[in-house]
Amino acid sequence: MGSGKRSLTTAAMVLACACAVLSAPGVAHASPTPAPTRTPTPTPTTSPAGKDLEAIRKKLDALYHAAAVATDAYNAAEEQAKQQSAEIVDLAREIVKGQDKLDELKDRAGAAARAQYRGGGLPPEMRLWLSDNPQQYLDGAGRVLQGERATKGLLAEMTRTQQDLKQYAKDASAQWQKLEANRQAKATAQKEIKKQIAAAEKLESQLEKKEKERLAKLEEEAAYKAQTAWLSSGVLAEISGKASEQGKKAVKFATDQIGKPYEWGAEGPGSYDCSGLTSQAWAAAGHGIPRTSQEQWRQLPHVDVKDMRPGDLIIYFDDASHVAMYIGDGAIVHAPRPGRTVTITGAGSMPILGVVRPDA
């Protein structure tokens, strides 16, 4: 991230913290006349219709989290299906090549057999006795022996080629079965994603405009509270890593996508899901990484939070169902969830599982 963006992010955080301190109870202000102590009024969690907005917020979080888990399963099945399809294509090529080779070997073996048949007839000792030139006959017999050995070699190679073809066919059948299983896994995950998103949208549709506004405020407050707690631990003072050259490119790509909509299963260029954004950002930096947040967590090298640098990926929740890119100054860029756009927020606004480094 550029110094200008970092300054803006830092300034925004400092301003937010200052506002929180100034509005907190118990802060003394110089005043000519004593003023009565005032406690800030918290955002109401219930609507006039009696809806518990905090409970609705938590329910929405759970629904979208379930959708994120299903999205990771969908993306994993999609990647495996692509790999299996490619392997099936490679096996098909090998089968074609093997069949061509077998046909050629059969032709050569047939030609050798016909040549031997034409040279057959009388027993070898009779042909030697009748021959005008015994040495010439012996030379010819040597060539026949060589031909017989060559024929045996051809037959052995034909047997090996046939065995290879059987193995290729067996492997292709196994890959087809895996491909079909992953297609079914994709379909199941797709249904689950749509089910969870539909439930969340139905819940949100039951809210009035003012309730939606209060709900949005509650979401902001929850994220701010989590970020403040994270910063209060002093962790930001320990983080001083500088981005690598590839990391800078990845950060630039990711931040250039700000404002684009979240879409499950999307890898750009018009929309992204969380791991679609991070995987494409690192691909743009010239370093391929796994497609899903869970595989990014499983396969990429882990680093301590205090050692992270811009470009590193922060994995969230115990099931590694969300991922974001650290951009410095305690901030991340990520694709949050359906209905939202790629945005910058606090790195501690969600429960951190750990940090991975693509270009370790």
Side-chain angles (χ1 to χ4, degrees):
M1 188 175 185
S3 60
K5 261 184 188 172
R6 285 200 297 272
S7 300
L8 286 174
T9 306
T10 306
M13 289 184 175
V14 171
L15 180 59
C17 291
C19 291
V21 171
L22 291 174
S23 63
V27 178
H29 299 278
S31 176
T33 56
T37 303
R38 215 174 58 159
T39 303
T41 305
T43 302
T45 60
T46 57
S47 69
K51 296 182 180 123
D52 186 341
L53 294 179
E54 178 61 19
I56 291 173
R57 182 188 71 79
K58 290 180 179 178
K59 177 65 175 175
L60 286 171
D61 282 350
L63 289 170
Y64 283 121
H65 179 264
V69 173
T71 298
D72 228 36
Y74 175 90
N75 290 334
E78 172 74 9
E79 287 301 293
Q80 289 170 356
K82 287 179 182 177
Q83 181 180 351
Q84 284 146 10
S85 295
E87 288 176 359
I88 288 170
V89 170
D90 289 342
L91 285 167
R93 290 196 184 104
E94 291 299 324
I95 289 171
V96 170
K97 284 165 58 178
Q99 190 60 57
D100 289 344
K101 180 180 179 181
L102 185 61
D103 291 342
E104 180 188 354
L105 290 171
K106 285 180 178 179
D107 288 344
R108 288 166 60 188
R114 288 191 296 273
Q116 284 182 337
Y117 177 78
R118 285 194 297 270
L122 294 172
E125 63 275 11
M126 183 63 70
R127 278 183 277 138
L128 175 61
W129 184 67
L130 293 173
S131 175
D132 293 333
N133 188 337
Q135 184 59 47
Q136 184 179 11
Y137 170 78
L138 290 173
D139 291 342
R143 288 193 293 273
V144 170
L145 182 60
Q146 290 176 353
E148 287 176 349
R149 288 174 180 170
T151 301
K152 287 180 180 179
L154 281 173
L155 293 174
E157 192 171 356
M158 282 174 60
T159 300
R160 286 194 300 270
T161 303
Q162 287 172 328
Q163 290 172 344
D164 288 344
L165 283 171
K166 286 180 181 179
Q167 187 61 50
Y168 290 148
K170 184 179 178 180
D171 291 345
S173 177
Q175 290 300 329
W176 272 113
Q177 290 175 0
K178 289 180 182 179
L179 180 60
E180 183 57 30
N182 276 305
R183 283 174 176 165
Q184 292 176 4
K186 275 176 59 181
T188 300
Q190 187 174 22
K191 287 179 183 177
E192 183 65 16
I193 295 166
K194 290 182 177 180
K195 173 186 170 184
Q196 298 297 340
I197 293 176
E201 290 174 344
K202 180 179 179 182
L203 185 57
E204 288 179 303
S205 71
Q206 296 169 353
L207 300 175
E208 301 293 336
K209 182 180 178 181
K210 289 184 178 180
E211 291 172 333
K212 290 179 180 178
E213 291 172 354
R214 283 198 290 273
L215 181 63
K217 185 68 175 174
L218 284 173
E219 291 174 351
E220 290 174 7
E221 288 176 354
Y224 177 77
K225 182 179 179 181
Q227 174 72 355
T228 301
W230 185 68
L231 292 175
S232 297
S233 69
V235 65
L236 195 58
E238 299 179 352
I239 301 173
S240 58
K242 303 297 182 183
S244 65
E245 287 305 311
Q246 281 188 313
K248 290 176 183 177
K249 292 177 182 177
V251 168
K252 183 180 186 309
F253 179 95
T255 52
D256 283 347
Q257 312 313 308
I258 289 173
K260 293 184 178 180
Y262 176 102
E263 181 183 357
W264 63 266
E267 300 176 80
S271 58
Y272 297 88
D273 63 19
C274 66
S275 57
L277 176 65
T278 54
S279 60
Q280 288 302 305
W282 272 100
H287 191 89
I289 63 173
R291 169 65 177 87
T292 70
S293 58
Q294 291 176 344
E295 286 303 303
Q296 288 169 7
W297 173 244
R298 190 175 71 86
Q299 295 186 36
L300 298 179
H302 293 199
V303 297
D304 288 337
V305 172
K306 64 181 178 62
D307 296 325
M308 70 180 174
R309 64 192 187 193
D312 287 348
L313 306 181
I314 304 180
I315 310 296
Y316 291 95
F317 304 108
D318 290 341
D319 52 9
S321 57
H322 190 69
V323 60
M325 181 177 291
Y326 185 63
I327 58 175
D329 296 331
I332 56 170
V333 59
H334 71 146
R337 64 169 175 80
R340 301 294 170 81
T341 60
V342 176
T343 189
I344 291 176
T345 191
S349 58
M350 295 169 285
I352 294 175
L353 176 61
V355 179
V356 294
R357 177 165 296 163
D359 60 339

